[in-house]
Amino acid sequence: MAIDVVVNQRHLQIQLKQLETVWHTVINGYNLSQAATVLHTSQSSLSKHIAALENQLKTEVFVRQGKRLTGLTTMGTALMPHIESIFAEIRTIENLSLDFNNPNVGTLTIATTHTQARYVLPEVVKEFKERFPKVNLILQQADPETIAQMVIRGQADIGIATESLLHNNYLRCYRYYDWTHRVIVPSDHELAGLESIDLPTLASYPIVTYHGGFTGRGAIDKTFSDAGLEPDIVLAALDADVISTYVGLGLGIGIIAEMAFEPSHYQNLTAIPVDHFGRFTSWMAVRDDAEIRQYGRAFMELCQKQFNN
């Protein structure tokens, strides 16, 4: 009887490994090499797991183009919701166990943009570390699309960004805060002191702003394009500090996120409110299929409290 139990447990572990392989292959865009890296194993090992599962099911799970996986078959599509449910429950049970035994010990990984990490999160991080000194807090900075993928793949517990998070079925999103852009110019600039600037006037000056895909740059480009204007973007950067530095050197006028303007750091610059590019919302996102640790929820509560006081 004991031998039968051990054999059955081993068989269950193998089946779970096969299902885990399918899951990670799908969320990593059918890239076996990438899935193998996430699972800390070899590509050939994953291929064997997939082959064994398909042999057991007596049908293919993946559509193939040569040796490359390109999508799910009808069977694979039907299988995925059940695989998601299984691993959601496993992750939830693991987190419940950890919270019960060591509620204030562990690692919390936050994937976010430089703008959030540099200008928005410092006070939250400070308060969080005071409350949870034994939690190892990791801030991973990336572009919005990468942030979404990091949360989906389990490389980050929480993602914080403006773009890319809402448009993903694997993520559950929570509103963080709203923001707009500001135009920044040297204090002695001819535009300094204005309460607003129209689009044609903005487009008539060389502009320093964000790189494509960051901090509302897409909305900036679209707004000018819709108005039939072609702005002269003389420099694009990922960081508002870099933008502010070059505006201070006279390279052009800057367009940055409102939370990124620090007058105490750049006393030679002044900011002018603009609403041409719209109002944006920064979101916090977690995996939709499992609960995170209690201290992760506490971090999100601190974030929301930050803008509700």
Side-chain angles (χ1 to χ4, degrees):
M1 178 66 73
I3 294 176
D4 289 340
V5 170
V6 172
V7 170
N8 287 334
Q9 288 178 337
R10 176 62 179 161
H11 184 61
L12 179 59
Q13 289 174 346
I14 292 171
Q15 288 181 322
L16 284 174
K17 182 61 69 175
Q18 293 168 354
L19 296 178
E20 184 181 38
T21 296
V22 172
W23 166 247
H24 278 281
T25 299
V26 172
I27 66 175
N28 283 282
Y30 306 100
N31 186 323
L32 276 178
S33 175
Q34 193 164 287
T37 299
V38 172
L39 290 171
H40 306 291
T41 187
S42 66
Q43 186 172 333
S44 61
S45 178
L46 296 194
S47 296
K48 289 176 183 177
H49 284 311
I50 292 171
L53 179 63
E54 291 180 328
N55 183 59
Q56 185 177 354
L57 295 173
K58 296 181 171 56
T59 185
E60 292 186 340
V61 173
F62 290 102
V63 176
R64 290 168 171 80
Q65 187 173 8
K67 293 184 178 181
R68 191 163 56 92
L69 306 181
T70 59
L72 288 169
T73 62
T74 302
M75 178 61 177
T77 301
L79 197 61
M80 277 305 295
H82 302 287
I83 295 176
E84 292 170 4
S85 297
I86 289 169
F87 285 101
E89 291 301 324
I90 290 173
R91 281 188 294 273
T92 299
I93 291 169
E94 288 174 345
N95 284 339
L96 282 172
S97 174
L98 289 169
D99 281 338
F100 182 80
N101 292 296
N102 295 290
N104 299 322
V105 177
T107 298
L108 180 66
T109 301
I110 310 295
T112 189
T113 62
H114 173 85
T115 297
Q116 311 291 345
R118 169 68 177 81
Y119 303 105
V120 182
L121 289 176
E123 287 303 315
V124 171
V125 169
K126 180 175 180 291
E127 186 171 352
F128 178 83
K129 289 300 296 179
E130 289 171 353
R131 285 180 56 182
F132 300 95
K134 293 184 179 180
V135 173
N136 180 25
L137 184 61
I138 300 172
L139 287 181
Q140 297 273 20
Q141 295 178 46
D143 63 90
E145 184 58 40
T146 300
I147 290 167
Q149 292 304 313
M150 288 177 70
V151 177
I152 291 168
R153 294 169 185 163
Q155 296 167 317
D157 301 295
I158 301 170
I160 301 176
T162 298
E163 302 90 345
S164 300
L165 298 183
L166 274 181
H167 310 296
N168 199 302
N169 294 332
Y170 294 116
L171 299 177
R172 182 166 70 250
C173 294
Y174 300 86
R175 193 184 202 95
Y176 189 0
Y177 67 96
D178 296 333
W179 59 274
T180 59
H181 287 96
R182 292 285 184 270
V183 168
I184 55 172
V185 298
S187 300
D188 59 357
H189 194 277
E190 59 192 72
L191 297 178
L194 294 181
E195 294 184 359
S196 63
I197 308 174
D198 59 41
L199 275 177
T201 300
L202 277 179
S204 69
Y205 289 89
I207 292 174
V208 183
T209 191
Y210 295 105
H211 192 276
F214 285 82
T215 325
R217 172 62 191 273
I220 293 172
D221 292 343
K222 186 177 186 304
T223 300
F224 280 120
S225 177
D226 289 348
L229 299 169
E230 294 185 15
D232 179 18
I233 308 292
V234 295
L235 177 67
L238 305 180
D239 181 0
D241 283 336
V242 174
I243 295 170
S244 299
T245 296
Y246 283 96
V247 170
L249 292 174
L251 197 66
I253 64 173
I255 302 175
I256 64 173
E258 63 176 328
M259 59 279 192
F261 179 61
E262 297 183 307
S264 61
H265 289 191
Y266 294 93
Q267 297 182 16
N268 61 327
L269 302 180
T270 187
I272 305 165
V274 289
D275 57 10
H276 307 300
F277 309 116
R279 192 163 187 83
F280 302 86
T281 300
S282 287
W283 299 89
M284 296 178 288
V286 296
R287 279 278 293 272
D288 189 42
D289 57 5
E291 294 299 326
I292 62 173
R293 296 285 303 273
Q294 288 179 4
Y295 53 67
R297 296 195 294 275
F299 184 92
M300 295 173 68
E301 288 167 3
L302 287 174
C303 288
Q304 292 177 318
K305 171 186 166 186
Q306 179 184 19
F307 289 93
N308 288 334
N309 289 340

